[in-house]
Amino acid sequence: MNPRPATPAESARTFTELYGGHPDGIWYAPGRVNIIGEHTDYNDGFALPMALPRTTRVAARRRDDGLLRLHSTRGGGRITELRVPDLAPGTVEGWARYPAGTVWALAEAGHPVGGADLHIDSTVPTGAGLSSSAALECAVAVAYDALYGLGLPGPELARTAQRAENAFAGVPCGVMDQMASLCCVEGAALHLDSRTLEHRQVPFDLTAHDLTLLVLDTRVQHDLADGAYAALRAGCERAARLLGLPALRDLPADRLPEALAGLPAGLAPLVRHVVTENARVAEAEALLAAGDTRALGPLLTAGHASLRDDYRVSCAETDLAVDTAVAAGALGARMTGGGFGGSVIALTPAALARAVTEAVTTAFARAGHRPPAVLEAVPSQGAGRLA
Ligand code: ADP
Ligand code: MG
């Protein structure tokens, strides 16, 4: 189910063909799925993501003349040439915004960074809600951290990568994707406090419980850069202001009914989602700590209902995947990522993984949708050096 990534030797060979000479090293950063805690990060709330066994890799060589050369196997074959001192929001278009923005954000933060030659390849599907954009930023961030001897901790690199995406690529995302890509550890989910960036590893052993976490990529393209995400974010910020709170994270669950009663009808469901979703993160962690991994299932499905009915970021394809997976024996399922398409996760008894996959594929064919792409989510290691 998982494609074979280029080996370090293959990446180095391609680098040599493109630029001559050899890379100084090869770094990687993974995509992620979020187990629970969706649309909470920009509300200063909590999330529980894990890294995927799908990575973006960067073969990189430092340059001291300020030139930044970028090549991606998904970049149309061309090498993009930029000058680091000239980087500014609005000056770069297309995919190169993500790596160039990361270099810009490091420089903006006052770090002594210059040019580089970068060759990028990836097994993270793009636009599938699995955070290929953060994987790209974070792979470049860890490469630059090493090339320029910065020694920055994961949360600081995550904030820098988020700034690249917000201010340079023009996508108003929260910080969860970048924290997951940088700070996850193999075999664990990451408890994340998006306000403080405090995080801890929550052991997540699917095999011990005979479980498979399926990722069903609906292959419906979402576009987080469009207005919907920004409007939701603005709605949450407005609700927090009306409630006199710094962020929706500061609304305790027991004050929810009273808060909802005083809010405009358009904002109340957003607030209900965020507050109940933060509670679901805490509940999920408690279940994992108690070894009750199977009981995550209903929590995932409840999270999906909240995203569908209150936050309204689901769509026909993700709803169909969730409903069909559960009907076919998954313990629970939900859309993951920003929404408007993208991927669904389904927590499935390992013995039923194939039946669930087939049921969803059949339901998609009947509904006239393209077949979903399926991968298995195994809690994997966050960003680092490969070679
Ligand atoms: P997601 O992060 O869910 O995959 P986004 O829309 O946030 O979706 O980011 C996808 C975009 O990130 C792509 O359209 C492309 O511009 C860029 N991108 C991601 N990975 C790569 C890659 N390996 N090479 C080139 N561009 C990439
Ligand atoms: Mg993204």
Side-chain angles (χ1 to χ4, degrees):
M1 266 195 294
N2 287 322
R4 185 181 76 79
T7 63
E10 286 164 349
S11 289
R13 202 173 316 130
T14 308
F15 181 98
T16 302
E17 283 162 21
L18 289 164
Y19 300 119
H22 300 284
D24 293 334
I26 301 173
W27 289 265
Y28 76 95
R32 62 96 191 93
V33 285
N34 190 17
I35 299 164
I36 195 84
E38 212 68 77
H39 286 280
T40 49
D41 58 355
Y42 55 80
N43 290 299
D44 279 2
F46 301 94
L48 195 67
M50 56 175 255
L52 287 173
R54 299 280 191 117
T55 59
T56 295
R57 290 165 303 277
V58 178
R61 177 175 60 202
R62 175 177 164 151
R63 301 180 62 104
D64 290 321
D65 60 358
L67 196 63
L68 176 62
R69 296 199 288 181
L70 303 168
H71 175 270
S72 168
T73 51
R74 296 181 187 168
R78 287 196 324 275
I79 295 175
T80 300
E81 292 203 6
L82 301 162
R83 286 191 37 78
V84 175
D86 299 340
L87 292 176
T91 60
V92 182
E93 305 233 297
W95 73 272
R97 290 174 299 153
Y98 297 92
T102 303
V103 175
W104 168 81
L106 284 168
E108 271 274 301
H111 302 299
V113 294
D117 293 328
L118 307 180
H119 161 60
I120 294 148
D121 79 281
S122 180
T123 55
V124 187
T126 51
L130 304 178
S131 223
S132 69
S133 58
L136 176 51
E137 294 146 13
C138 294
V140 172
V142 290
Y144 255 74
D145 186 67
L147 290 178
Y148 284 92
L150 305 179
L152 296 173
E156 205 167 328
L157 291 176
R159 280 283 184 224
T160 308
Q162 183 200 11
R163 181 153 158 74
E165 186 145 349
N166 291 169
F168 204 91
V171 184
C173 62
V175 74
M176 184 258 294
D177 299 347
Q178 292 80 7
M179 280 297 290
S181 187
L182 287 158
C183 297
C184 278
V185 165
E186 194 178 339
L190 185 81
H191 167 90
L192 171 65
D193 178 336
S194 301
R195 171 171 280 163
T196 61
L197 300 195
E198 278 166 357
H199 56 283
R200 62 174 176 272
Q201 308 301 333
V202 181
F204 189 37
D205 189 344
L206 290 156
T207 319
H209 297 270
D210 287 326
L211 293 171
T212 299
L213 189 64
L214 290 173
V215 180
L216 305 154
D217 168 11
T218 65
R219 299 163 80 203
V220 183
Q221 207 77 14
H222 64 80
D223 186 2
L224 290 185
D226 81 1
Y229 188 97
L232 288 163
R233 189 171 176 158
C236 288
E237 284 162 6
R238 204 173 133 235
R241 268 197 310 279
L242 290 172
L243 293 167
L245 299 169
L248 291 184
R249 176 258 180 77
D250 299 300
L251 182 61
D254 59 0
R255 280 187 46 211
L256 182 60
E258 164 205 344
L260 293 180
L263 283 171
L267 296 182
L270 301 185
V271 174
R272 184 164 52 219
H273 169 72
V274 172
V275 172
T276 59
E277 187 77 351
N278 278 326
R280 279 186 286 273
V281 174
E283 211 180 315
E285 277 196 64
L287 291 172
L288 287 179
D292 201 359
T293 308
R294 289 178 167 250
L296 274 183
L299 209 55
L300 301 186
T301 309
H304 184 76
S306 180
L307 289 163
R308 181 191 61 210
D309 302 336
D310 274 346
Y311 223 68
R312 295 175 166 271
V313 291
S314 193
C315 63
E317 292 85 351
T318 42
D319 288 343
L320 182 62
V322 166
D323 294 345
T324 309
V326 171
L331 302 171
R334 63 181 284 271
M335 53 152 279
T336 185
F340 314 110
S343 295
V344 160
I345 54 171
L347 185 70
T348 306
L352 292 178
R354 184 185 288 266
V356 167
T357 303
E358 280 170 8
V360 175
T361 305
T362 304
F364 268 46
R366 281 211 190 105
H369 306 319
R370 288 196 297 163
V374 183
L375 60 113
E376 188 183 334
V378 178
S380 300
Q381 184 67 29
R385 185 168 190 157
L386 260 189

